[in-house]
């Protein structure tokens, strides 16, 4: 295996990952994750199954208007239904309507699934695979064929399983992806079967042979190991999800797979500078899907390179290789040593540069900022997905955070009431509506202002009240708006007294930014995040105007 062998990473977080129990993604969530994966350098991003639900259709429609920079967005679909012409199949029509260059089509490899699941004949299944891929190819699409339950199918009936691949091959599939859909295979089984498929393809002497891929699930806690052994047997596409999200026990975790493939086995997966953002991407996605990050996850977890004390600390300070299998910065993580106040300073410096701020590594301000950051994180703040709040924190430490307004206090009143026409008293069968009224007291340029506004909920009411108070001084507030709101309970054992972390996202049509608030009171946490979101938006808009004026004058 060459040190420069290209391996194509295929991310299915937005489709297969979203099937994890307790995980739900809005259209905005999917778009944000797709953009972050695009920034990471992932070449193939599976966006979902158009036609299966309205959100996936909206997702592909949005990306048609605002395409990603480098990644190929892939629509997912199944073969045509039994005994139905491909031209009448709504699944294939919806996939084509997504207007992606690439389509991933899955078909049945296991005879058990054909006869028991599809309730059809084995030959009809072969026709379904061939007809569907050939039809998509005639429409100008490039096709990745996911051979569902491939390994179980091969163990059960190897002759028929190979016939399903032959059908996909004859129809024009460019990739044949072997799927361990039940997640029960062992590495030696993966090795033997992938090797057999590779040898079979070689005997065909095809001028343009298809490439092989691997798609594993983690039901045996071996998804990463199984994908690695498949790569060593020559597959050129590896499919998985960020943080291993997926149905049941999850999918192959790309946050472990990619560094293992690139740093340990020498495959070319991502540019080195992109790989160095992997930990940040992992945490970002965990915040977007509103699931607590796994602090002990390999490579990207907060504790992956943490050294607590005694012999370990002294050894790592002399030579990090004594207790670290890679350099943490290679994946964007940090070495954490309790006795060292330098831990994490390089990350702070990198963030300052990304914000366009000058920060001297040797200045007391840098260490004070690092200490402040650690204290806030210890309290429960998380800045990976709330960079706007971190930039405001950094500007405050540098004395570069202008005072645009002060908020002296707020009140929120929520009322549950019947819908019009439903009568005075509401029963469980007669649902009630609710409204919120927020009052805020702010100061701008020494002027005290008291304003109130209503909203469908307390956060919307707070947002409206603040805008109402500030719009006279800052009319540009109308250019951006609240686009997302997420809540996480941090210490659930405390019950209703638990700390609450709130993430609020704003956007102006071109840019998006997220701020964070923390408090045992969910309204207090929301208020903090909303206030910072409005402040950051004003700061950025005014910076852009100033930059344009300078450009015009020059």
């Amino acid at each position: 295996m060459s040190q420069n062998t290209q391996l194509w990473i295929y991310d299915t977080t937005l489709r297969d990952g979203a099937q994890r129990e307790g995980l739900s993604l809005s259209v905005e969530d999917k778009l944000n994750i797709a953009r972050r994966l695009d920034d990471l350098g992932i070449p193939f991003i599976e966006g979902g199954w158009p036609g299966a639900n309205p959100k996936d259709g909206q997702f592909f429609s949005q990306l048609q208007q605002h395409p990603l920079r480098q990644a190929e967005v892939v629509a997912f679909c199944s073969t045509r239904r039994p005994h139905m012409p491909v031209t009448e199949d709504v699944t294939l029509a919806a996939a084509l309507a997504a207007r992606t260059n690439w389509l991933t089509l899955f078909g049945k490899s296991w005879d058990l699934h054909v006869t028991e699941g599809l309730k059809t004949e084995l030959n009809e299944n072969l026709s379904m695979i061939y007809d569907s891929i050939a039809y998509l190819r005639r429409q100008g699409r490039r096709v990745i064929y996911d051979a569902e339950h491939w390994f179980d199918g091969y163990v059960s009936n190897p002759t028929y399983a190979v016939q399903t691949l032959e059908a996909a091959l004859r129809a024009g599939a460019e990739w044949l992806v072997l799927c361990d859909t039940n997640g029960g295979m062992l590495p030696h089984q993966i090795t033997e079967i992938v090797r057999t498929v590779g040898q079979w393809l070689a005997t065909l002497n095809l001028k343009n042979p298809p490439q092989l891929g691997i798609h594993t699930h983690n039901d045996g806690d071996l998804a990463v190991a199984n994908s690695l052994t498949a790569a060593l047997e020559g597959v050129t596409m590896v499919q998985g999800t960020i943080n291993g999200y997926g149905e049941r026990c999850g999918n192959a975790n790309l946050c472990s797979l990619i560094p293992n493939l690139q740093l340990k086995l020498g495959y070319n997966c991502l540019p080195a500078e992109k790989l160095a953002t992997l930990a940040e991407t992992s945490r970002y996605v965990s915040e977007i899907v509103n699931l607590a990050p796994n602090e002990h996850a390999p490579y990207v977890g907060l504790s992956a390179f943490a050294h607590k004390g005694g012999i370990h600390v002294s050894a790592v300070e002399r030579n990090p290789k004594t207790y670290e299998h890679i350099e943490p910065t290679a994946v964007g993580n940090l070495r954490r040593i309790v006795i060292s106040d330098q831990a994490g300073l390089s990350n702070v410096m990198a963030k300052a540069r990304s914000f366009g701020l000058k920060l001297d590594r040797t200045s007391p301000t840098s260490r004070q900022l690092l200490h402040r950051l650690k204290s806030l994180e210890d309290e429960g703040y998380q800045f990976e997905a709330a960079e706007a709040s971190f930039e405001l924190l950094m500007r405050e430490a540098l004395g570069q955070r202008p005072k645009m307004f002060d908020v002296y206090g707020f009140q929120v009143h929520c009322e549950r009431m019947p819908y019009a026409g439903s009568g005075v008293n509401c029963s469980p069968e007669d649902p009630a509506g609710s409204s919120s009224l927020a009052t805020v007291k702010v100061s701008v340029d020494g002027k005290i202002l008291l304003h109130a506004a209503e909203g469908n909920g307390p956060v919307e009411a707070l947002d409206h009240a603040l805008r109402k108070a500030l719009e006279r001084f800052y009319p540009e507030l109308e250019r951006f708006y609240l686009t997302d709101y997420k809540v996480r309970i941090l210490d659930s054992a405390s019950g209703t007294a638990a700390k609450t972390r709130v993430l609020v996202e704003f956007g102006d049509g071109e840019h998006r930014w997220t701020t964070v608030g923390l408090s045992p009171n969910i309204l207090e946490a929301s208020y903090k995040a909303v206030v910072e979101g409005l402040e950051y938006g004003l700061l950025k808009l005014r910076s852009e105007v100033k930059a344009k004026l300078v450009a015009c004058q020059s």
Side-chain angles (χ1 to χ4, degrees):
M1 186 262 303
S2 168
Q3 290 293 307
N4 296 317
T5 300
Q6 179 67 48
L7 201 71
W8 301 94
I9 303 298
Y10 181 110
D11 181 278
T12 181
T13 304
L14 301 180
R15 201 270 309 170
D16 223 351
Q19 294 186 49
R20 170 177 166 142
E21 184 178 4
L23 192 154
S24 179
L25 297 174
S26 67
V27 176
E28 289 299 325
D29 291 336
K30 289 170 70 76
L31 289 168
N32 285 335
I33 292 173
R35 294 187 184 105
R36 180 55 69 98
L37 296 176
D38 187 37
D39 290 341
L40 181 62
I42 300 293
F44 290 96
I45 300 172
E46 187 177 273
W49 189 337
N53 61 73
K55 287 190 295 188
D56 283 358
Q58 294 170 30
F59 169 81
F60 286 106
S61 177
Q62 292 261 9
L63 283 186
Q64 288 170 20
Q65 301 173 39
H66 304 287
L68 299 180
R69 289 185 295 181
Q70 60 84 29
E72 289 282 358
V73 180
V74 184
F76 182 85
C77 66
S78 65
T79 57
R80 66 163 174 83
R81 295 181 181 181
H83 305 291
M84 174 179 285
V86 288
T87 54
E88 297 177 15
D89 192 275
V90 294
T91 296
L92 296 176
L96 288 169
R99 294 167 58 184
T100 58
N101 293 326
W102 286 88
L103 287 168
T104 291
L105 181 136
F106 77 92
K108 301 298 184 182
S109 307
W110 192 356
D111 54 1
L112 173 72
H113 270 261
V114 177
T115 57
E116 298 296 324
L118 293 178
K119 298 291 184 182
T120 193
E121 306 82 24
L122 297 183
N123 283 336
E124 173 61 10
N125 180 57
L126 297 178
S127 297
M128 290 160 59
I129 296 170
Y130 178 87
D131 293 348
S132 302
I133 296 175
Y135 176 65
L136 296 176
R137 293 291 286 154
R138 289 197 299 272
Q139 306 305 311
R141 302 302 198 272
R142 305 179 72 176
V143 178
I144 298 166
Y145 176 65
D146 271 12
E148 188 185 37
H149 292 284
W150 161 258
F151 293 94
D152 291 301
Y154 186 86
V155 170
S156 170
N157 188 339
T159 300
Y160 183 72
V162 171
Q163 287 175 349
T164 65
L165 292 187
E166 288 176 335
L169 176 60
R170 286 187 294 107
E174 296 185 50
W175 248 298
L176 303 177
V177 179
L178 310 179
C179 303
D180 181 21
T181 311
N182 280 354
M185 290 290 122
L186 299 174
H188 75 279
Q189 294 172 295
I190 299 289
T191 297
E192 292 170 4
I193 296 174
V194 172
R195 182 179 297 163
T196 299
V197 174
Q199 292 170 347
W200 164 70
L201 280 175
T203 64
L204 299 179
N205 294 316
L206 299 173
K207 184 177 180 181
N208 294 305
Q211 299 187 70
L212 291 179
I214 186 71
H215 177 113
T216 60
H217 285 252
N218 203 39
D219 299 72
D221 202 20
L222 292 167
V224 170
N226 285 341
S227 294
L228 291 174
T229 193
L232 291 172
E233 287 302 319
V235 304
T236 54
M237 174 182 284
V238 175
Q239 298 189 358
T241 63
I242 296 295
N243 298 326
Y245 298 143
E247 194 173 19
R248 304 185 311 275
C249 305
N251 287 46
N253 186 351
L254 290 179
C255 295
S256 297
L257 258 177
I258 294 173
N260 275 323
L261 289 165
Q262 187 153 327
L263 300 178
K264 299 299 182 70
L265 296 177
Y267 288 99
N268 182 18
C269 300
L270 301 176
E273 68 274 12
K274 298 296 185 180
L275 181 61
T277 67
L278 185 64
E280 184 179 351
T281 300
S282 166
R283 293 167 194 150
Y284 176 85
V285 173
S286 71
E287 289 294 337
I288 293 295
V289 304
N290 211 23
L291 292 172
N294 178 6
E295 294 186 354
H296 300 279
Y299 289 104
V300 298
L302 187 65
S303 300
F305 301 97
H307 308 283
K308 191 169 182 179
I311 296 173
H312 285 211
V313 170
S314 60
V316 167
E317 286 191 318
R318 294 190 190 97
N319 187 338
K321 291 182 179 180
T322 53
Y323 285 97
E324 291 177 354
H325 63 116
I326 67 162
E327 173 60 42
T329 56
V331 292
N333 212 335
L334 296 171
R335 177 177 303 116
R336 295 173 57 237
I337 300 175
V338 176
I339 61 172
S340 172
D341 64 354
Q342 294 297 307
L345 189 56
S346 58
N347 263 29
V348 173
M349 302 300 296
K351 282 296 178 189
R353 288 192 296 272
S354 71
F355 296 148
L357 301 174
K358 294 183 179 179
L359 190 63
D360 185 352
R361 187 184 186 92
T362 61
S363 73
T365 301
S366 299
R367 290 182 174 80
Q368 291 167 7
L369 183 58
L370 179 60
H371 177 73
R372 176 65 174 153
L373 174 62
K374 288 184 175 182
S375 297
L376 290 173
E377 287 184 342
D378 185 59
E379 291 176 25
Y381 278 88
Q382 180 61 265
F383 293 101
E384 274 76 14
E387 291 192 349
S389 285
F390 188 51
E391 181 174 343
L392 290 175
L393 178 69
M394 191 169 282
R395 286 183 178 277
E396 184 174 359
L398 295 171
Q400 298 179 25
R401 183 174 179 176
K403 206 69 169 176
M404 295 183 174
F405 57 87
D406 287 299
V407 181
Y408 291 124
F410 72 94
Q411 290 183 340
V412 177
H413 174 72
C414 298
E415 181 180 8
R416 186 170 176 81
M417 56 188 179
Y419 290 123
S422 65
V424 176
N425 297 315
C426 292
S427 67
E429 295 76 27
D430 189 8
S434 64
S435 68
S436 299
L437 175 68
T439 304
V440 297
K441 186 177 183 180
V442 302
S443 170
V444 182
D445 294 335
K447 297 181 178 64
I448 305 296
L449 307 165
L450 186 66
H451 283 277
E454 291 182 313
N456 290 329
V459 178
E460 185 182 42
L462 271 172
D463 182 44
H464 288 175
L466 283 165
R467 290 172 182 274
K468 192 173 180 180
L470 299 172
E471 61 187 5
R472 169 184 161 194
F473 300 91
Y474 302 111
E476 58 265 42
L477 279 170
E478 67 179 17
R479 291 177 54 185
F480 56 87
Y481 46 89
L482 194 152
T483 60
D484 202 1
Y485 173 80
K486 285 187 171 67
V487 177
R488 178 176 296 163
I489 304 301
L490 298 185
D491 46 347
S492 56
S494 300
T496 54
K499 282 185 180 179
T500 301
R501 184 167 70 223
V502 168
L503 290 175
V504 173
E505 182 187 79
F506 286 85
D508 61 4
E510 295 183 17
H511 308 97
R512 295 181 182 276
W513 58 93
T514 304
T515 49
V516 60
L518 182 77
S519 173
N521 184 325
I522 187 173
L523 293 180
E524 176 78 14
S526 302
Y527 144 78
K528 290 178 179 178
V530 169
V531 167
E532 286 203 349
L534 294 176
E535 179 187 355
Y536 185 84
L538 291 173
L539 177 66
K540 281 301 175 186
L541 284 175
R542 298 206 158 193
S543 297
E544 288 179 5
V545 171
K546 184 177 179 180
K548 288 179 181 177
L549 287 174
V550 171
C552 290
Q553 291 172 355
S554 60

